[in-house]
């Protein structure tokens, strides 16, 4: 992955349970879709996915939780966000 600013590539910071402001619930289907997409990309079938929805619908929370879970099983995985 190439990026103009190296600071845009990062590891999702582990969050202690005490620091977590909200509980992440009811997104099992969406998380499974993102995991499947990651599995396909790791097998050479990369693709682009957009997470869309209205303001306050949990897009950032979903992607942050997905990145956290994905990095637990793939410690060398880099996450780019913007």
């Amino acid at each position: 992955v190439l990026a103009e600013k190296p600071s845009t590539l990062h590891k999702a910071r582990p969050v202690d349970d005490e620091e977590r402001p909200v509980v992440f619930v009811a997104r099992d289907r969406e998380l499974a879709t993102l995991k499947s997409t990651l599995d396909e990309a790791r097998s050479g079938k990369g693709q682009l996915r957009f997470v869309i929805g209205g303001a306050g619908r949990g897009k950032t929370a979903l992607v942050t939780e997905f990145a956290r879970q994905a990095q637990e099983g793939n410690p060398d995985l880099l996450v780019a966000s913007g």
Side-chain angles (χ1 to χ4, degrees):
V1 172
L2 298 177
E4 291 181 19
K5 297 179 184 177
S7 63
T8 60
L9 298 176
H10 65 278
K11 290 265 195 181
R13 182 178 66 83
V15 177
D16 294 332
D17 288 336
E18 295 175 8
E19 294 179 19
R20 187 174 295 246
V22 286
V23 177
F24 190 83
V25 296
R27 296 291 184 185
D28 294 334
R29 183 181 56 164
E30 291 86 350
L31 285 170
T33 298
L34 290 171
K35 182 183 181 311
S36 175
T37 300
L38 176 60
D39 292 343
E40 289 179 18
R42 292 178 60 86
S43 71
K45 300 176 187 170
Q47 53 188 297
L48 181 63
R49 291 285 179 129
F50 291 95
V51 176
I52 62 171
R57 303 297 243 171
K59 297 175 300 293
T60 299
L62 172 64
V63 172
T64 300
E65 180 64 13
F66 168 68
R68 186 191 67 75
Q69 290 181 17
Q71 288 178 318
E72 280 182 353
N74 304 283
D76 295 330
L77 182 68
L78 293 177
V79 176
S81 62

